[in-house]
Amino acid sequence: MLADALLLQLGYNATLVTIGATLLGMAAGVAGTFLFLRKRALVSDAISHATLPGVGLAFVVMVALGGDGRALPGLLLGAGVSAAFGLLCVQWLTARTRLGEDAAIGAVLSVFFGFGVVILTVIQTMTAGRQAGLEGFLLGSTAGMLRSDAVLLAVAAALVLALVMLLRRPLELAAFDPGYAQAAGWSLARIDLAMMGIVLVVTVVGLKVVGLILIVALLIVPAVTARFWTDRTDHVVLIAGAVGGLSGYAGAALSAVAPALPTGPIIVLVGFALFLVSLLVSPGRGLLASVVMHHRYQRRVHMRQGLLALAQGQPIFEALTRRLLHRAGLILPDGVATAPGQAAAAKALLDETRWSIVRMDQSFAAAATRYDGLTPIEDVLTPDQLREVDARIDAPQAVL
C-alpha cells in the first residue's frame, strides 16, 4: 500500500495531494533558508498567524456579495492581505517604538490570531458558515484538493524559486554581512521586504496543505536540517529544498495510506524525522561526529602529554595515556620509552620550546594565535621561520 502511494498509484486525488505537498515543501525549504540565515525565523510565525482573520473576513465578504464563501482564491487573497498587514505592523512597531522584534512579533501574533478566532466563531453562527470548513486552515485540509489548487501550488513554487534565484546575491549579503550590503548600496529594508514577500507567498499557498500553525515548521525545519550538512549557502538552499520536497512527498504518501491521519502534521513529523537523522549522523555537525571528534581530540591530548612526560623523564600514571603510547609502539609495557618513543618525545619537547619562543615574539603574533598544543609547528611556520626560531634555542637540537 505504501509503495503504491509513493509511486502515485492510489488515485487522482492522492496523486494531486502528493504532488502539491512536494511542490510546497520545496518552495518552503528554499524560502525559509534565508529567513533562517537572517535569524528572523519568528517572523514567519507572525505572518502565518496573521492570515487567520483575513481568511474569515474574506469568507464573510464573499458571502455578503452572494458568492461562494469557500472559494479558495478569495480566501487566499484575504489571507495574503491580512498577513501583509500583520507584517507591516511588526515592522512599524520595531521601527517606531522601543519594542524589540520578538516583542512586536508576540503582540501581532496573539492579537491577529485572537481576532481570527473571534471571526471564525461568528462565522459558525451564520447560516452559510456552519459548513464552511474554515477550521481546515488551522492544521491543513487536503481531502478536497482540486487540480486548480495543485496548479496554484506549482505556480507559487515556480515563482518562489525564480525570486530566490534572482535575489540570491542581496539575500546572502543581508544574511551574512548587512554592513557590507549597506556599504555596497543595497537597502536592507527592501531586501527584508522582498524576503518577507517570498515567505508570504509560501505561507498563503501552504494554508491548504499544512495550515497556518504548521507552515512555520515547513519553512524552518528544512533549512535547519540542511545546515547540518554544509557550510555553503547555495548548497544549503538546494538541500533545504530537497528536504522540504521529500517531507511533503513522504508525508502526503503516508497520509494517503492512513486516511484518518491529517496530512499537514504528518508532513511536519517527516521533516522532523529528517532533522533528527541529520542531528545524529551529519558528518560535520552531527552528535555522533561531535563525539568522535571529541574522542580523537582527547587521544591527541593524552599522546602529547605522554610524550612530553617521557621527554622530561617523568613517570606516566594515567592508564589511557600509557595504553595509547603502548599501542603506538612508543613505550614498553613497563612504561620505558622505545627508540621511536624517545625520538617522538624529543620532537614534542623541541616543538614546545619552539612554540614558547614564537608566543613571546611579537613578530610571530599571527602564528602564535594558532597554538593549541597539538598543531604541528611545521604546519604554521615556513622553513625559514623555523630556522630563525631554532637559532634562538640554546640547547642542541637532537631531533629535527
Side-chain angles (χ1 to χ4, degrees):
M1 190 79 172
L2 180 59
D4 291 337
L6 293 174
L7 295 175
L8 306 179
Q9 300 296 318
L10 287 186
Y12 181 75
N13 184 257
T15 300
L16 275 182
V17 172
T18 303
I19 294 175
T22 303
L23 295 173
L24 174 64
M26 293 174 60
V30 171
T33 297
F34 294 100
L35 199 64
F36 164 68
L37 295 176
R38 190 78 168 90
K39 296 180 175 61
R40 305 192 69 185
L42 281 179
V43 176
S44 62
D45 206 11
I47 293 175
S48 63
H49 283 74
T51 59
L52 187 57
V55 171
L57 290 175
F59 177 86
V60 173
V61 170
M62 286 188 290
V63 170
L65 294 177
D68 184 4
R70 291 179 292 272
L72 186 61
L75 295 176
L76 294 185
L77 177 61
V81 173
S82 177
F85 182 65
L87 177 59
L88 291 176
C89 288
V90 171
Q91 292 182 330
W92 186 87
L93 288 172
T94 303
R96 300 297 181 89
T97 70
R98 294 185 178 182
L99 289 178
E101 188 176 58
D102 55 344
I105 289 173
V108 171
L109 182 154
S110 56
V111 170
F112 273 70
F113 189 73
F115 183 42
V117 172
V118 170
I119 294 176
L120 291 185
T121 303
V122 173
I123 288 175
Q124 294 303 314
T125 65
M126 299 169 53
T127 304
R130 293 176 182 174
Q131 302 297 325
L134 298 183
E135 65 278 357
F137 283 91
L138 294 176
L139 297 175
S141 177
T142 59
M145 182 177 287
L146 304 175
R147 180 180 178 183
S148 58
D149 302 336
V151 171
L152 178 62
L153 287 172
V155 171
L159 176 62
V160 167
L161 294 176
L163 288 175
V164 169
M165 292 181 62
L166 181 65
L167 301 174
R168 184 177 66 88
R169 177 63 175 170
L171 289 174
E172 288 180 354
L173 287 176
F176 293 106
D177 197 344
Y180 175 77
Q182 285 185 314
W186 295 98
S187 171
L188 286 181
R190 293 181 179 180
I191 295 175
D192 285 339
L193 186 62
M195 179 177 64
M196 295 307 168
I198 294 173
V199 173
L200 179 62
V201 172
V202 175
T203 301
V204 170
V205 298
L207 294 178
K208 181 70 174 177
V209 180
V210 295
L212 64 90
I213 294 179
L214 297 177
I215 187 63
V216 180
L218 202 57
L219 282 165
I220 302 304
V221 171
V224 176
T225 302
R227 188 65 180 88
F228 279 107
W229 296 95
T230 181
D231 292 326
R232 295 188 53 177
T233 306
D234 51 347
H235 292 173
V236 172
V237 173
L238 293 175
I239 296 174
V243 170
L246 180 60
S247 300
Y249 177 76
L254 289 172
S255 179
V257 174
L261 298 178
T263 303
I266 295 299
I267 291 174
V268 172
L269 289 177
V270 171
F272 181 69
L274 295 175
F275 165 77
L276 284 181
V277 171
S278 301
L279 176 65
L280 291 174
V281 304
S282 61
R285 292 183 169 83
L287 292 179
L288 294 180
S290 298
V291 171
V292 171
M293 291 173 61
H294 173 73
H295 281 290
R296 289 178 178 175
Y297 180 80
Q298 184 182 43
R299 289 170 181 267
R300 291 176 63 195
V301 170
H302 278 270
M303 287 284 290
R304 184 72 171 182
Q305 295 302 318
L307 290 174
L308 291 175
L310 287 177
Q312 297 169 0
Q314 299 174 355
I316 301 173
F317 299 103
E318 215 285 322
L320 177 59
T321 303
R322 292 174 63 96
R323 186 163 61 250
L324 293 173
L325 291 174
H326 178 61
R327 288 178 180 175
L330 301 178
I331 63 172
L332 299 173
D334 57 2
V336 177
T338 62
Q342 293 175 355
K347 178 62 167 59
L349 184 59
L350 173 61
D351 282 353
E352 282 298 310
T353 306
R354 289 168 165 174
W355 274 117
S356 65
I357 294 174
V358 168
R359 294 168 66 191
M360 291 187 297
D361 192 335
Q362 289 298 321
S363 63
F364 293 108
T369 60
R370 297 188 56 184
Y371 174 76
D372 58 3
L374 299 175
T375 302
I377 195 169
E378 293 85 355
D379 294 347
V380 179
L381 300 183
T382 65
D384 290 339
Q385 289 175 320
L386 279 177
R387 283 191 290 269
E388 179 184 348
V389 171
D390 289 342
R392 305 182 189 181
I393 301 176
D394 295 331
Q397 288 86 56
V399 179
L400 298 176

